[in-house]
Amino acid sequence: MKFIIKLFPEIMIKGGPEKKRMLNLLTENLKRLLHRIDDSILVKRFHDKIEVNCDDKFYRPVRKRLQNTPGIQQFLEVVAYETGEDLQLIADKVAEHNLPAIKGKTFVVRAKRSGTHNITSFDIEKFVGGHLWEHGESAGVSLKNPEVKVELELHNKTLNVVSERVKGLGGFPMGSQGEVLSLMSGGFDSTVASYLTMKRGVKTHFVFFNLGGAAHEIGVKQVALYLWANFGASHRFKFISVPFEEVVAEIFNASHESYMGVMLKRLMLKASEKIADEMAIDALVTGESVAQVSSQTLRNLAIIDECTQKLVIRPLAVMDKPDIMAIADQIGTREYAENMPEYCGVISKNPVTNASFDRMHREESRFNMDVLDAAVASAKTINVDQIIADVNESQAVDVVTELKNETVIDIRRPEEVASNPLNLESRTTLTIPFFELNQKFKTLPAGNYVLYCDKGVMSQLHAQYLIDAGYENIKVYRPVNV
């Protein structure tokens, strides 16, 4: 199987050296990603495109990876034949793939050439079009508004018959636009904001301010892992967890209740700035949207930003919540966000919507910054690709590798269960997707239960949630071969 990759238009209009740099970077990114699937996959760079060749058995994982790689506007799925310039052979091969598609429909043939040939694109279109019209059962040729567009490319006398055009992410190659530190809570907004910077080719590290204990941290790590694995795995990202419970306690002691929300955001930016300085990062990313909550008015955002010298990027600044949720649906993070508990920590009464700079400075002067410094000093950093091992080693919840009298609950997504069923012979297995588990678990009969998922992260997260809710009959099942 061959894929022909078309670059994002903003790459193609760059100057020669910059375009070459991005093309080389995307090529190296693809080699790194696709060779994890199989070393036999070939990635070849040309001056205006990239070609990927793989065995048919790798078609699905390669296709999915190309769809999720920043820098790819679209790609063509093609079948290649060594036809030379033999018009009859070209027409026969095109007909094999397209006669069923044009039955009862109008069509047009579009051909492109690259390399040196004695025949023109028009020669190919005319001959192939006549052949399809003669041997097919079409409704005729339509040059302007065809129902079917038959596409082919002749590259150095190799025929590429296009079977499908597939939309990619667009954006720039990962790593081409520098690095940012994204404030990640695991909800809709911070998750989508992080995705958008990754799509733009920005290496996006995650900083998490822990207000909800071990379960909350595991949940946010799961989202970070999902984003990295799907959209940024060509590069290594970091996940920094900052314990913020003591900071929140000090806010309660030092701040007026109406300024607590703005104070919390300022302190998160201050902490992020310290961490970004250590990482030589110049910009921070947040999921804030103008007027979505009281702390996100224009005045309040200005006051929040005043506390840092870093550039603060807000990809969602003028987006509506339904638009943000639609992107979460598109990228597959909606269920994670919906099941992420909100640990606000600070609930302001009559929160200020038009804060005063002077008043904010007075409020902040009463805060003991040693508490913030201690939180940053206690921060823990791991690479995102190490999250699975990190969560599994922590074993905050009891883990079993062999089953006794427990009932197994498979909490994977329905499509994951369908594609790779959990085969436990005659043992009873319940299938309850993780996003329905908290609601349905309370209806189950008394007994001992173990949760299962592919990597063990989501099962440990939801087992912790259930234990925190008062259930004692829950563990994690991790087979020895996983």
Side-chain angles (χ1 to χ4, degrees):
M1 187 70 191
K2 179 189 283 189
F3 302 89
I4 299 176
I5 295 165
K6 305 295 185 179
L7 305 180
F8 186 50
E10 289 184 37
I11 296 176
M12 299 305 294
I13 63 174
K14 298 290 184 185
E18 181 65 6
K19 184 172 108 173
K20 183 178 180 180
R21 181 182 77 89
M22 290 197 182
L23 188 57
N24 288 338
L25 182 55
L26 180 57
T27 302
E28 292 306 310
N29 289 351
L30 286 173
K31 287 180 180 179
R32 196 174 299 123
L33 292 167
L34 297 178
H35 286 171
R36 291 175 190 165
I37 298 173
D38 193 84
D39 287 338
S40 67
I41 299 172
L42 298 177
V43 181
K44 188 174 181 180
R45 178 181 64 82
F46 297 87
H47 78 281
D48 62 345
K49 64 180 179 180
I50 298 172
E51 289 188 0
V52 173
N53 288 272
C54 69
D55 190 281
D56 287 350
K57 65 183 177 182
F58 301 123
Y59 164 74
R60 289 187 181 278
V62 170
R63 187 181 197 268
K64 181 178 180 181
R65 178 53 67 189
L66 295 181
Q67 285 180 292
N68 289 341
T69 298
I72 298 177
Q73 173 70 7
Q74 62 175 323
F75 58 90
L76 310 180
E77 296 182 4
V78 304
V79 182
Y81 300 98
E82 297 299 326
T83 60
E85 297 183 355
D86 187 333
L87 286 173
Q88 186 59 58
L89 183 55
I90 292 172
D92 288 339
K93 294 302 182 182
V94 174
E96 285 182 22
H97 293 273
N98 287 281
L99 285 181
I102 66 173
K103 184 176 181 180
K105 298 180 180 179
T106 60
F107 74 95
V108 68
V109 177
R110 294 289 181 240
K112 292 183 178 180
R113 294 176 310 131
S114 57
T116 303
H117 301 92
N118 295 317
I119 55 176
T120 67
S121 297
F122 179 73
D123 293 333
I124 300 172
E125 291 173 352
K126 182 178 178 181
F127 192 93
V128 173
H131 184 82
L132 294 177
W133 182 82
E134 181 180 354
H135 293 86
E137 300 177 22
S138 72
V141 175
S142 174
L143 299 180
K144 292 186 176 180
N145 297 300
E147 295 176 271
V148 177
K149 182 161 71 170
V150 177
E151 297 180 90
L152 60 118
E153 296 186 356
L154 192 62
H155 173 68
N156 290 333
K157 301 183 180 180
T158 296
L159 172 66
N160 295 318
V161 181
V162 179
S163 59
E164 187 176 355
R165 282 183 178 267
V166 183
K167 182 178 173 62
L169 280 186
F172 294 113
M174 179 57 66
S176 66
Q177 306 304 316
E179 303 182 29
V180 296
L181 184 61
S182 180
L183 282 67
M184 170 67 76
S185 69
F188 282 103
D189 300 336
S190 62
T191 302
V192 171
S194 299
Y195 158 75
L196 291 175
T197 55
M198 294 168 68
K199 175 183 174 181
R200 197 64 178 169
V202 182
K203 188 175 176 182
T204 304
H205 304 282
F206 306 106
V207 58
F208 164 62
F209 296 97
N210 193 346
L211 305 177
H216 191 200
E217 180 169 331
I218 293 173
V220 179
K221 283 180 175 177
Q222 172 76 7
V223 176
L225 178 63
Y226 178 89
L227 287 173
W228 171 82
N230 281 277
F231 309 110
S234 60
H235 287 66
R236 176 160 273 182
F237 292 9
K238 293 187 179 299
F239 184 96
I240 302 99
S241 179
V242 184
F244 235 53
E245 295 93 337
E246 295 299 322
V247 174
V248 170
E250 177 62 15
I251 290 175
F252 272 109
N253 290 332
S255 302
H256 188 275
E257 59 187 20
S258 64
Y259 272 74
M260 287 181 178
V262 178
M263 174 69 83
L264 178 61
K265 295 293 182 67
R266 279 177 65 100
L267 294 174
M268 286 180 173
L269 282 192
K270 281 178 175 290
S272 299
E273 181 179 51
K274 294 175 184 293
I275 294 167
D277 282 341
E278 295 176 0
M279 300 173 69
I281 289 176
D282 297 321
L284 308 174
V285 174
T286 80
E288 290 158 319
S289 176
V290 173
Q292 189 175 113
V293 296
S294 60
S295 65
Q296 295 174 17
T297 63
L298 287 177
R299 167 57 70 87
N300 286 358
L301 292 175
I303 288 178
I304 291 169
D305 285 3
E306 185 210 24
C307 75
T308 177
Q309 295 297 311
K310 300 294 182 184
L311 170 67
V312 180
I313 301 173
R314 293 185 171 90
L316 313 184
V318 293
M319 293 182 64
D320 297 330
K321 195 69 173 186
D323 298 329
I324 297 168
M325 295 173 71
I327 295 176
D329 278 331
Q330 171 193 333
I331 65 176
T333 60
R334 181 177 186 128
E335 289 92 353
Y336 296 112
E338 287 180 334
N339 284 269
M340 194 67 60
E342 290 291 339
Y343 292 100
C344 182
V346 175
I347 303 176
S348 302
K349 294 181 180 179
N350 302 314
V352 63
T353 58
N354 191 36
S356 160
F357 282 90
D358 290 339
R359 172 71 182 275
M360 187 72 251
H361 296 157
R362 291 196 300 272
E363 294 289 335
E364 195 167 83
S365 68
R366 294 194 292 270
F367 184 90
N368 182 1
M369 288 297 171
D370 290 342
V371 176
L372 184 69
D373 292 340
V376 174
S378 300
K380 294 182 179 180
T381 301
I382 63 170
N383 295 318
V384 175
D385 55 287
Q386 297 173 326
I387 282 177
I388 293 174
D390 180 70
V391 171
N392 289 346
E393 287 174 7
S394 69
Q395 294 194 1
V397 179
D398 287 342
V399 177
V400 299
T401 58
E402 294 183 0
L403 298 173
K404 296 179 180 178
N405 62 340
E406 301 94 347
T407 297
V408 178
I409 305 177
D410 190 337
I411 67 169
R412 293 175 295 167
R413 296 171 184 263
E415 58 269 25
E416 293 174 326
V417 175
S419 64
N420 186 25
L422 181 60
N423 185 6
L424 295 176
E425 299 177 351
S426 60
R427 181 176 292 274
T428 300
T429 302
L430 302 178
T431 300
I432 305 175
F434 70 87
F435 48 86
E436 297 179 358
L437 182 65
N438 291 348
Q439 183 65 31
K440 290 188 176 181
F441 189 81
K442 65 183 69 172
T443 68
L444 298 179
N448 296 316
Y449 294 92
V450 292
L451 305 185
Y452 170 81
C453 67
D454 282 335
K455 304 299 183 183
V457 179
M458 187 59 78
S459 56
Q460 188 152 330
L461 166 67
H462 281 274
Q464 186 67 59
Y465 287 166
L466 292 171
I467 291 171
D468 290 347
Y471 296 98
E472 299 179 351
N473 58 339
I474 193 72
K475 296 179 181 179
V476 168
Y477 174 49
R478 192 175 301 135
V480 292
N481 61 340
V482 174

